[in-house]
Amino acid sequence: MNIKNVTVAGSGVLGYQIAFQTAFHGFKVTVYDINDEVLEKAKSKFDTLANAYKRDLNANDEQLNNTFQNLQYNSNLAEAVKNADLVIEAIPENLASKFSFYKQLANLAPEKTLFATNSSTLLPSMFAQATGRPKKFCALHFANTIWINNTAEIMGHSETSKETFDTIVDFAKAIGMVTLPLHKEQPGYILNSLLVPFLSAATNLLINEVSDIETIDKTWMIATGAPIGPFAILDIVGITTAYNINQMAAQKTNDPLKIKTVEYLKQHFIDQNKLGVATGEGFYKYPNPAYKDKDFLK
Ligand code: NAD
């Protein structure tokens, strides 16, 4: 199937980036959100994003003008999807919201339209039936700062057709992504299946008082040649995300170690607004964190 018109539903942190990246690569994009006020906010964020494309990708004025020409806005779902070959959903990470969105979308989108969810933690099978077209639905998961961290994890559910999957892989390539196909459903995709246990192992070492932040990072960096260690990664991801993940795990398992981790993160970081790189301090102080010091690995 040939994708030309793409509707991006949700213009928040990820949605507006997906819309801009798609328009930048020559597709006609309609940005849809719950009302015009939110859409106006997205429009104003596109100017800042255009500067980032200039700075990071050497994008020229012609490319950026074309990108803006390719973008349209609509807060009426029926109108926003009436010509869509593909709808990429980037609405909040809440099963009930996604479920009701897809129920509505199922009745309004043309039969040809493929649907893809950008959900990070929910599986496509959880709302495939609500789409009314499970064969034409899969996950297409981007990373934050999509124009630099250009990965796209593509994951179907048991009923996704091969044609849909292959079309989404081709589309992702066409918008400049490195495609990472998954052959079956996996909570956390590939990246978080690796990263969450890794970061959790690092915090366990700290909370169990086995070792300290810098020693743990240093061990990983020297032993594997990685440029940063787990606590530096946590600062980049943001400590709020780590806190939320640990809190969910603590509630689910009642594991005393997880409960202790939640308390530790709250007391030392969340309550002090030390949330990582974004606030200038987390496990390290920025802009010159200790792990970048030339003597750190000695
Ligand atoms: P966000 O809260 O920043 O933005 C969500 C947007 O959706 C808002 O603009 C909101 O007005 C809009 N919205 C709410 N209900 C809607 C509806 N019914 N129809 C249309 N729009 C609606 O969220 P986000 O961080 O961009 O996350 C969106 C999705 O992307 C989530 O599924 C999340 O898991 C996924 N994701 C996020 C990141 C990240 O780093 N933030 C990374 C990868 C994937």
Side-chain angles (χ1 to χ4, degrees):
M1 185 189 170
N2 199 1
I3 306 272
K4 287 199 183 82
N5 300 315
V6 178
T7 299
V8 177
S11 61
V13 175
L14 252 279
Y16 92 104
Q17 296 180 23
I18 299 167
F20 199 82
Q21 178 77 12
T22 305
F24 184 74
H25 284 271
F27 292 83
K28 297 281 174 210
V29 177
T30 303
V31 186
Y32 164 75
D33 210 306
I34 42 172
N35 59 44
D36 289 336
E37 210 183 321
V38 183
L39 286 175
E40 280 305 318
K41 258 193 221 151
K43 271 188 212 175
S44 65
K45 290 191 295 186
F46 284 135
D47 291 329
T48 316
L49 203 48
N51 284 330
Y53 275 60
K54 268 190 191 166
R55 182 190 64 221
D56 299 331
L57 305 179
N58 288 324
N60 61 37
D61 287 342
E62 193 191 344
Q63 283 174 305
L64 293 169
N65 287 339
N66 290 341
T67 305
F68 281 105
Q69 295 272 323
N70 285 338
L71 285 164
Q72 286 182 17
Y73 308 85
N74 207 315
S75 59
N76 177 307
L77 186 57
E79 282 175 25
V81 301
K82 71 172 191 251
N83 293 319
D85 300 309
L86 169 65
V87 173
I88 303 175
E89 169 268 308
I91 74 167
E93 191 71 342
N94 174 296
L95 187 56
S97 308
K98 301 235 192 225
F99 212 86
S100 83
F101 171 75
Y102 280 109
K103 278 256 177 220
Q104 221 186 327
L105 180 66
N107 294 323
L108 297 173
E111 210 184 306
K112 64 170 183 178
T113 313
L114 305 183
F115 299 166
T117 179
N118 182 45
S119 173
S120 296
T121 60
L122 304 168
L123 294 170
S125 57
M126 292 174 178
F127 34 92
Q129 294 315 318
T131 67
R133 60 189 78 191
K135 288 194 175 85
K136 292 182 177 165
F137 172 59
C138 69
L140 170 57
H141 183 237
F142 298 98
N144 199 3
T145 60
I146 174 172
W147 67 100
I148 312 170
N149 298 325
N150 60 334
T151 55
E153 293 179 290
I154 297 117
M155 180 173 82
H157 60 102
S158 62
E159 288 179 64
T160 306
S161 75
K162 183 172 181 323
E163 193 193 347
T164 299
F165 191 87
D166 292 347
T167 305
I168 300 295
V169 171
D170 289 346
F171 164 75
K173 279 184 192 149
I175 61 164
M177 295 291 117
V178 174
T179 52
L180 308 169
L182 279 82
H183 303 302
K184 49 163 87 163
E185 268 197 343
Q186 166 67 30
Y189 301 86
I190 297 171
L191 178 61
N192 283 335
S193 296
L194 296 166
L195 194 57
V196 173
F198 171 63
L199 298 179
S200 167
T203 47
N204 287 353
L205 290 170
L206 181 69
I207 303 296
N208 274 331
E209 296 171 17
V210 175
S211 193
D212 60 89
I213 293 160
E214 295 197 358
T215 306
I216 297 168
D217 273 5
K218 225 184 272 186
T219 308
W220 184 254
M221 290 162 75
I222 296 174
T224 67
I228 57 175
F231 290 103
I233 296 178
L234 277 166
D235 276 351
I236 294 168
V237 171
I239 293 173
T240 311
T241 303
Y243 175 75
N244 290 338
I245 291 174
N246 276 289
Q247 200 169 38
M248 274 191 282
Q251 280 162 359
K252 212 167 151 183
T253 60
N254 254 333
D255 175 356
L257 187 58
K258 288 283 161 218
I259 295 168
K260 218 169 153 189
T261 306
V262 171
E263 282 164 4
Y264 171 85
L265 292 176
K266 184 168 183 328
Q267 190 188 341
H268 292 90
F269 298 97
I270 305 290
D271 287 351
Q272 297 186 40
N273 199 38
K274 292 181 183 170
L275 305 179
V277 179
T279 59
E281 188 171 352
F283 291 101
Y284 294 93
K285 284 197 176 125
Y286 297 87
N288 298 309
Y291 66 83
K292 285 201 175 149
D293 194 290
K294 64 178 181 11
D295 292 331
F296 187 70
L297 296 183
K298 283 189 181 155

